[in-house]
Amino acid sequence: MNFSEYVFSAPYLHWLISGAQYTIIIAGLTSIVSLIIGCLVCFLHISKQKLYHVCALIYINIFRNIPPLPFLLFLVFGLPGIYTLLTGNIFPRNTVFMLLILGISLNTAAYLAEIFRSGLKGVPKSTIDSARVLGLKPSDIRLHILLPQALRISFPALGTRLIHNMKNASIALVLPLDVNHMEVMGQAGRIAGQTFTWAEPLIFAASVYLVLTMMLQGVITFFSQGMQKKIVCQN
Amino acid sequence: MSELTVVDILRVLLFGYPLSAEFIDRSYPVFLQASGGLVLTLIISVLSFSCGMILATLFASLLELERKPIKRFSWIGTLVSVLQIGIRGILYVCQSLPILILVLLFYYLPYPLFGLRVPAVLLGIGAFSLYAAVYLTQIFRSGFRSVPQGLTESSRILGLNHFQIFTTIKLPCALRVMIPAIVGVAITVFKDTSVLMAAGVAELTFTSRQLSAASPGHYSVVLFLVIALYWAIASLFSWWARSIEKKVTIYGWGGSV
């Protein structure tokens, strides 16, 4: 174990820190994209139209049952071939980072859609009925009655899934990202490729993930406690 | 290079490339070396899930051990509390780390730390056992807590001993609640074995990389087949699990853990 040579020396520490920054960036971007896709799929799932409902069911079934790593490999290595076959053009270059974001988000969105749906289902029907009796418009009911309560119910599960989402960012190790867009595992692998030592950079990367998970967990606990307090006050 | 058909690709994906005799290492089971592809993925998932169940039983029973009965023997009490702190630490760290990092830690650390050379398959099974055990421990603990206190108390009044209470009252009640979550962990372990590719274990995803290196033109087809295989097995399993769940749950009691 020689941390001073392989982790805390001139270029390597810089690489690892930029990797840690990109881990956070990947986690943030995928969270946002997956929240958007998850909401859309959830709306499709609860819509009265049979076709939309079935589409959402198929999406959720597919993406909950395939592991993210082979799916990302398919996006990065398999998609260009299919694109060329269909359109005759060459797939645009330097899209690996975008495909990474897209792949992880599509995976997380399937889970998020289920979480949102169970949150909406958890709101008691009598609440909505009484809001209707009081003369609220359907749009007002959705925005001010249904949405806040559903969010409160699904928040713990949402937080767990977002932590999983951040952990999934480590899969970027196996993708051919360019050097400036690698996350911390990718940078650890890059150091290992130059120095033939995996142990020290790997331990550094593991502690980065440990700290990030702890921080995200803390933030989620803080917010969910606030929400619990609000529920108590309202009652 | 000869042209590959879909049947050839599927055969390699299912069973992996055949192992030549000179590479066989007699120091650990040959079936782990001779198999590859989907078969090896399934073997690893089953083995590590079973090891995980055993480990989780151990962890959960140690964590739930009451301090009172062993207070007299003070050094046993100290040992138990030290073990409990250790298990809590392991659970916390393994829950916070991505499975890819856990696998790579298992793969790269034994040699520089202890000078051990262990085959990658065994290390992978070890990592996944721990990964499964961490989640199963939480499920077991909350499952057994969900058994109402009154049930065990009344069975004690009826004259059942501790062993009888456990096997006939606590275990069946807790299992009903736990089964969906346990199956969920099994599916997660199966899906996440794809990560072992990074440690060079010849499972399904790794075999697809080998195949693509042998015939680069087929990469789209190969990867599509890989995803389809993972999807088929995982959804078959979850469909089966849902039918069990319907049979086992009692309406209005328990619920998800």
Side-chain angles (χ1 to χ4, degrees):
Chain A
M1 293 284 129
N2 189 353
F3 283 94
S4 59
E5 193 177 341
Y6 299 122
V7 173
F8 297 112
S9 63
Y12 301 144
L13 188 63
H14 180 71
W15 294 359
L16 286 170
I17 287 172
S18 92
Q21 285 168 349
Y22 262 91
T23 305
I24 298 170
I25 291 173
I26 291 173
L29 283 177
T30 48
S31 304
I32 294 166
V33 177
S34 64
L35 278 171
I36 295 168
I37 302 176
C39 278
L40 286 178
V41 176
C42 177
F43 289 144
L44 291 184
H45 196 293
I46 57 174
S47 92
K48 297 254 169 22
Q49 287 270 339
K50 204 82 180 168
L51 181 67
Y52 294 157
H53 178 71
V54 171
C55 283
L57 274 184
I58 291 172
Y59 174 86
I60 290 172
N61 184 322
I62 287 178
F63 282 96
R64 279 180 59 153
N65 283 325
I66 58 177
L69 197 150
F71 180 63
L72 276 173
L73 287 179
F74 176 73
L75 276 187
V76 173
F77 295 109
L79 207 60
I82 295 174
Y83 182 81
T84 316
L85 203 71
L86 289 180
T87 62
N89 301 324
I90 294 169
F91 197 72
R93 308 189 83 195
N94 297 329
T95 48
V96 181
F97 190 73
M98 271 164 57
L99 287 176
L100 167 75
I101 301 285
L102 184 71
I104 296 178
S105 322
L106 283 176
N107 188 301
T108 309
Y111 291 93
L112 288 187
E114 279 286 280
I115 289 168
F116 289 145
R117 192 183 63 89
S118 59
L120 285 176
K121 239 171 69 180
V123 178
K125 203 147 182 6
S126 56
T127 321
I128 298 159
D129 285 341
S130 41
R132 197 174 292 145
V133 168
L134 288 173
L136 267 73
K137 280 184 291 182
S139 59
D140 280 348
I141 292 177
R142 282 195 200 112
L143 195 63
H144 297 298
I145 308 289
L146 200 57
L147 202 64
Q149 294 196 40
L151 201 64
R152 237 167 261 164
I153 292 169
S154 55
F155 195 77
L158 181 74
T160 317
R161 190 38 64 182
L162 288 184
I163 289 176
H164 266 276
N165 178 50
M166 193 186 70
K167 290 200 252 173
N168 274 347
S170 64
I171 290 172
L173 171 70
V174 299
L175 299 181
L177 281 167
D178 72 291
V179 170
N180 296 321
H181 292 153
M182 277 183 181
E183 51 81 61
V184 68
M185 275 304 285
Q187 298 285 8
R190 192 175 156 213
I191 294 172
Q194 288 208 351
T195 62
F196 302 107
T197 19
W198 257 103
E200 292 89 354
L202 187 64
I203 290 174
F204 186 87
S207 37
V208 166
Y209 270 99
L210 207 63
V211 169
L212 285 179
T213 314
M214 261 150 96
M215 279 159 58
L216 194 56
Q217 184 75 59
V219 169
I220 287 163
T221 317
F222 178 75
F223 276 112
S224 61
Q225 274 171 357
M227 284 182 170
Q228 294 303 320
K229 267 181 206 155
K230 259 186 199 165
I231 293 175
V232 171
C233 290
Q234 277 178 356
N235 287 342
Chain B
M1 221 183 325
S2 61
E3 194 63 24
L4 279 172
T5 63
V6 175
V7 179
D8 288 334
I9 294 175
L10 260 181
R11 202 190 59 234
V12 174
L13 285 182
L14 284 182
F15 301 109
Y17 283 104
L19 178 79
S20 47
E22 68 239 53
F23 292 120
I24 290 180
D25 181 0
R26 289 280 161 200
S27 58
Y28 72 104
V30 178
F31 72 94
L32 286 177
Q33 306 166 52
S35 54
L38 185 62
V39 174
L40 187 62
T41 295
L42 287 174
I43 290 175
I44 290 175
S45 344
V46 169
L47 277 181
S48 47
F49 181 72
S50 345
C51 292
M53 285 288 257
I54 296 167
L55 261 182
T57 316
L58 196 72
F59 284 177
S61 46
L62 264 175
L63 282 178
E64 292 293 297
L65 212 60
E66 287 167 28
R67 227 47 85 64
K68 255 183 257 163
I70 45 174
K71 209 175 179 182
R72 269 175 289 169
F73 313 103
S74 62
W75 64 272
I76 296 184
T78 322
L79 183 71
V80 166
S81 42
V82 167
L83 277 176
Q84 282 179 341
I85 292 170
I87 291 171
R88 288 224 178 80
I90 291 174
L91 293 186
Y92 189 79
V93 169
C94 293
Q95 264 184 341
S96 309
L97 287 181
I99 178 62
L100 177 63
I101 290 185
L102 198 63
V103 163
L104 288 183
L105 282 176
F106 262 71
Y107 183 60
Y108 285 113
L109 284 194
Y111 186 63
L113 282 185
F114 312 112
L116 287 173
R117 285 196 186 279
V118 189
V121 187
L122 297 184
L123 289 175
I125 292 174
F128 272 95
S129 311
L130 196 60
Y131 181 65
V134 165
Y135 291 98
L136 288 173
T137 307
Q138 313 283 25
I139 292 168
F140 286 174
R141 291 180 70 190
S142 47
F144 279 102
R145 281 203 190 137
S146 78
V147 179
Q149 196 83 43
L151 219 55
T152 47
E153 275 166 14
S154 45
S155 50
R156 194 164 298 152
I157 289 169
L158 288 174
L160 273 68
N161 59 28
H162 277 286
F163 182 70
Q164 281 170 327
I165 290 174
F166 185 78
T167 51
T168 60
I169 310 288
K170 270 190 174 173
L171 193 62
C173 285
L175 262 185
R176 278 176 202 278
V177 183
M178 292 189 304
I179 276 180
I182 291 176
V183 174
V185 171
I187 294 174
T188 313
V189 167
F190 168 72
K191 284 195 301 180
D192 283 348
T193 47
S194 59
V195 158
L196 283 173
M197 181 197 102
V201 177
E203 44 75 60
L204 185 50
T205 319
F206 187 82
T207 313
S208 76
R209 294 300 301 259
Q210 282 179 309
L211 247 175
S212 70
S215 58
H218 295 94
Y219 209 4
S220 311
V221 182
V222 169
L223 279 171
F224 184 77
L225 284 176
V226 167
I227 291 178
L229 281 175
Y230 274 115
W231 174 80
I233 290 182
S235 56
L236 204 72
F237 200 57
S238 55
W239 172 75
W240 178 67
R242 223 168 295 143
S243 72
I244 288 182
E245 203 183 314
K246 261 182 204 158
K247 249 183 242 168
V248 143
T249 39
I250 298 169
Y251 183 76
W253 188 76
S256 58
V257 176

